[in-house]
Amino acid sequence: MGEERRPRILMIYTGGTIGMKENPETKALEPFDFNHLLDNVPKLKMLDYDISHRQFGHPIDSSDMHPCHWEQIVKVIEENYHEFDGFVVLHGTDTMAYTASALSFMLQHLSKPVIITGSQLPIGEVRTDGEENLITALQIAAAKDKDGRPMVREVAILFENYLWRGNRSTKKSADNFDAFSSNNYPELAKIGLGITFNKEALWRSPVTDSPLDAHYNMDTNVVCLDLFPGIQENVVRHILSTPGLKAVVLRTFGAGNAPRDRWFSEAIRDAVGKGLIVINITQCPNGEVAPYRYTTGLDLAQSGVVPGHDLTTEAALTKVMYLLGRGLKTEEVKHYMQCNLCGEMS
Ligand code: ASP
């Protein structure tokens, strides 16, 4: 019997609070390079892993994240896919759920762990949450099942005491260590004295043994429109007639309901008639769009609006960017928006 080899993990450092340092003059936090981060976690050496890393040219605050950065992350993962057992992406928390959702669509047939983590306090601070998050993320990326296959075969967010499915996650707190939630799907693992995986919840692709199929093209001709009582006709019509716009994620009330003002129904009907893809998701953190429950929702469905079921805003936006980016026809995009591609909808 050969000796078991050490897990090989690739860390991809994009920036975020985890690696930031205080600027002595302005007192504002600024992204710092990877060596600063490693110097502050000497415990990493205690893990018996082969850890390599890649750093973005210049680490960024995740509010500056752009689909071109998602492409860079996907490229690093694709180029190193066979060499490593798992990947840990260090990322700011602000747009982490968007990146996690986007990567889940861009990395089709993923069968290795891509664990995204970060922290609320910089890793150099005494009370930082970054050290624990980083070490746990590495352990999860290295975890194997009893057959020696990766325990996690999807994009997930590790934060504080939980591992969440990436495309089900949302940032819920600007200052708590427990900063993420997944309101329509259970945790993939609980972190306590040990790491307890919720095996029934982990993604297992129905297509096994297919090679990783990485996609780079995200079409950003999309917008998110939040309804509120009193929303003005000129605003809605202006947004819906934006030149080049291809899809609108419409965040509606409750179970997918919208005002029944005549102008609103007409504006939506006109937009759909002109080929715009309109996706209905709920503003409620928990639950799903049930378009046939109320007439206010039925009107939308009858206008050709696509029900987004229980998609998060982050997943709905990045899913439609991905489908449009694949060059699919309008009807195909509408069809796939309602299909579960990688665990993003129930
Ligand atoms: N502004 C930071 C970022 O998202 C916040 C964080 O990392 O927690 O990059």
Side-chain angles (χ1 to χ4, degrees):
M1 287 261 291
E3 225 178 83
E4 259 190 43
R5 68 163 176 78
R6 291 160 19 125
R8 290 189 196 129
I9 311 294
L10 182 64
M11 279 202 265
I12 304 167
Y13 176 53
T14 69
T17 299
I18 190 160
M20 288 188 184
K21 243 186 163 177
E22 196 177 276
N23 178 318
E25 277 159 37
T26 63
K27 302 281 174 225
L29 290 174
E30 290 175 351
F32 210 74
D33 79 7
F34 197 77
N35 296 329
H36 159 76
L37 192 127
L38 286 188
D39 290 346
N40 279 286
V41 197
K43 275 192 204 153
L44 278 185
K45 296 192 188 87
M46 289 164 72
L47 292 174
D48 195 19
Y49 300 166
D50 282 334
I51 302 173
S52 303
H53 75 268
R54 301 282 183 283
Q55 175 176 328
F56 272 21
H58 181 66
I60 55 169
D61 185 300
S62 78
S63 301
D64 287 325
M65 199 43 73
H66 186 276
C68 72
H69 299 114
W70 299 338
E71 287 173 20
Q72 285 180 48
I73 301 171
V74 168
K75 191 156 192 288
V76 172
I77 293 174
E78 188 184 26
E79 285 175 356
N80 293 280
Y81 196 64
H82 298 292
E83 211 185 309
F84 291 90
D85 299 305
F87 303 86
V88 170
V89 180
L90 300 174
H91 194 289
T93 56
D94 289 350
T95 62
M96 189 182 282
Y98 289 91
T99 297
S101 299
L103 294 186
S104 76
F105 300 118
M106 296 167 88
L107 294 166
Q108 289 292 306
H109 301 154
L110 180 70
S111 58
K112 293 189 177 184
V114 174
I115 312 300
I116 311 184
T117 195
S119 66
Q120 293 280 48
L121 281 178
I123 204 131
E125 294 215 3
V126 184
R127 290 179 53 254
T128 185
D129 51 331
E131 182 178 84
E132 208 175 290
N133 286 348
L134 174 55
I135 290 171
T136 311
L138 287 163
Q139 289 180 320
I140 289 172
K144 297 274 169 133
D145 67 10
K146 60 177 176 18
D147 301 319
R149 297 202 60 196
M151 186 62 99
V152 177
R153 302 174 203 165
E154 58 185 295
V155 179
I157 288 184
L158 178 277
F159 224 83
E160 180 78 348
N161 293 327
Y162 297 98
L163 182 72
W164 304 112
R165 174 162 297 159
N167 55 31
R168 295 286 195 146
S169 314
T170 299
K171 183 170 179 179
K172 69 170 180 190
S173 172
D175 40 29
N176 267 343
F177 284 158
D178 183 16
F180 285 85
S181 62
S182 159
N183 298 302
N184 282 322
Y185 199 74
E187 72 280 352
L188 304 181
K190 260 193 192 145
I191 322 302
L193 291 180
I195 299 168
T196 311
F197 288 100
N198 181 3
K199 295 206 178 98
E200 285 75 49
L202 290 165
W203 174 251
R204 295 291 180 256
S205 170
V207 197
T208 47
D209 300 326
S210 292
L212 178 74
D213 184 12
H215 287 268
Y216 288 92
N217 206 12
M218 295 294 265
D219 190 332
T220 52
N221 287 299
V222 303
V223 76
C224 184
L225 175 57
D226 247 89
L227 297 183
F228 57 91
I231 192 165
Q232 292 281 313
E233 176 174 0
N234 59 350
V235 173
V236 172
R237 285 199 181 272
H238 187 77
I239 291 173
L240 296 181
S241 59
T242 306
L245 188 66
K246 294 181 186 162
V248 180
V249 172
L250 190 65
R251 291 191 7 114
T252 58
F253 308 125
N257 307 312
R260 289 179 65 211
D261 304 65
R262 200 168 175 167
W263 68 261
F264 185 79
S265 312
E266 278 174 9
I268 297 287
R269 216 176 279 266
D270 290 352
V272 173
K274 283 185 194 138
L276 199 70
I277 298 161
V278 184
I279 302 136
N280 184 3
I281 62 166
T282 173
Q283 293 175 5
C284 298
N286 174 249
E288 68 176 314
V289 161
Y292 304 106
R293 194 178 303 160
Y294 299 93
T295 37
T296 42
L298 189 61
D299 277 1
L300 281 183
Q302 286 173 342
S303 308
V305 171
V306 180
H309 304 285
D310 60 352
L311 285 174
T312 60
T313 306
E314 295 89 333
L317 279 167
T318 54
K319 185 173 179 176
V320 75
M321 283 183 197
Y322 160 73
L323 293 172
L324 288 168
R326 292 199 62 159
L328 300 178
K329 297 199 185 83
T330 303
E331 287 313 311
E332 291 173 318
V333 173
K334 288 185 179 177
H335 168 74
Y336 285 114
M337 276 311 293
Q338 296 175 75
C339 301
N340 180 20
L341 302 183
C342 44
E344 74 279 10
M345 58 168 48
S346 303

